[in-house]
Amino acid sequence: MRDTLKHKGKRNQLARTLEAKGIRHQGVLEAIRTIPRHLFMDSGFEDHAYQDKAFPIAAEQTISQPYTVAFQTVLLDPKPGDKILEIGTGSGYQTAVLLHLKTRVFTIERQLELFKKTNLFFKKMGYRPKKFIFGDGYKGMPEEAPFDGIIVTAGAPEIPKALLSQLAIGGRMVIPVGVESQTMVLVQRTSEKEFEKQDCGAFRFVPMLGDKN
Ligand code: SAH
């Protein structure tokens, strides 16, 4: 697959759709206009890639809906140079958005098949997260902590304690919490021991899986 003017046109349209749905962050809209989402998906979905919808990728997972990616990124509010931990690399699309915003990305995927596929894809495309590991996101990446931001792209039954402890003071975590459906939660760490939580609406994600499932 290639990236053509036709794709570019569809991306501009998608960015306008997201703007109409309330996304105002210029850097995020610019990322949507720039990143060739169709290349993150199987070729069979090429014609649908710029619809504001989630689609299947490998290992029964999904590439998140563009609105959801934009919404989570706006809540995370990353600044250039920020150290960001991402849980659930999946297709790598959200990773690419974070890289477009010039952050340093550390990302974890627990499905080996997806990890291998996306790792090759990043190399081919020249996307350079600081670290991309195959592992369990519930544990985070303690050796790289603290993080200015943590973004979780799978539905977690509760907020993992390890992730809270890896958030810098002043840092922000965006995580969909819930089993059947999820509430988007923004957690801000205000001091060593204090965290402020805000509910930011209902969403649907594939589950964040633990060691036992
Ligand atoms: N941001 C991705 C979302 C993929 S769906 C994209 O838009 O493509 C969520 C991803 O989280 C899946 O790839 C799934 O395998 C992964 N995941 C689920 N539980 C996880 C865990 N405990 N640690 C790391 N990744 C996990």
Side-chain angles (χ1 to χ4, degrees):
M1 277 194 288
R2 295 180 309 136
D3 189 27
T4 64
L5 272 178
K6 193 178 102 200
H7 294 115
K8 177 92 184 136
K10 287 188 184 178
R11 284 201 288 279
N12 288 337
Q13 183 55 49
L14 174 59
R16 283 194 288 274
T17 302
L18 299 187
E19 223 174 340
K21 291 184 180 178
I23 302 298
R24 294 288 138 75
H25 190 296
Q26 287 311 310
V28 170
L29 292 170
E30 177 61 28
I32 301 286
R33 285 192 286 262
T34 307
I35 299 164
R37 186 172 187 249
H38 64 288
L39 300 181
F40 292 73
M41 299 162 60
D42 291 334
S43 53
F45 292 107
E46 185 179 1
D47 289 344
H48 307 291
Y50 297 104
Q51 294 175 12
D52 188 20
K53 287 186 184 160
F55 286 101
I57 47 176
E60 293 174 9
Q61 304 304 320
T62 56
I63 178 170
S64 298
Q65 181 181 343
Y67 175 76
T68 305
V69 172
F71 188 86
Q72 286 197 276
T73 311
V74 171
L75 284 180
L76 189 69
D77 194 22
K79 303 288 180 277
D82 274 2
K83 220 173 159 180
I84 306 293
L85 175 65
E86 178 191 41
I87 310 297
T89 323
S91 68
Y93 182 74
Q94 172 75 66
T95 318
V97 170
L98 294 169
L99 291 171
H100 187 88
L101 294 170
K102 300 192 161 44
T103 62
R104 295 177 287 157
V105 186
F106 299 75
T107 183
I108 308 178
E109 172 55 52
R110 93 181 270 289
Q111 298 282 351
L112 187 58
E113 180 191 354
L114 261 177
F115 170 75
K116 286 182 178 164
K117 189 175 170 187
T118 301
N119 201 23
L120 280 176
F121 176 73
F122 281 163
K123 295 216 159 73
K124 186 173 133 207
M125 297 289 290
Y127 290 124
R128 289 198 184 81
K130 288 283 172 211
K131 250 194 195 179
F132 179 20
I133 65 169
F134 166 60
D136 179 7
Y138 277 97
K139 301 191 173 74
M141 230 186 260
E143 68 280 14
E144 296 292 346
F147 295 97
D148 303 302
I150 300 180
I151 179 167
V152 179
T153 73
E158 60 194 0
I159 302 175
K161 291 217 169 50
L163 297 186
L164 287 174
S165 74
Q166 291 171 34
L167 194 60
I169 293 169
R172 299 160 76 86
M173 166 155 52
V174 180
I175 177 168
V177 183
V179 177
E180 287 298 311
S181 68
Q182 290 80 30
T183 301
M184 193 67 75
V185 180
L186 170 65
V187 183
Q188 289 176 268
R189 186 171 198 170
T190 51
S191 73
E192 185 61 36
K193 291 213 167 72
E194 289 164 301
F195 297 86
E196 273 176 27
K197 283 183 213 164
Q198 232 175 291
D199 288 355
C200 304
F203 288 82
R204 247 173 204 284
F205 282 82
V206 295
M208 182 168 172
L209 300 174
D211 275 345
K212 293 174 276 309
N213 45 22

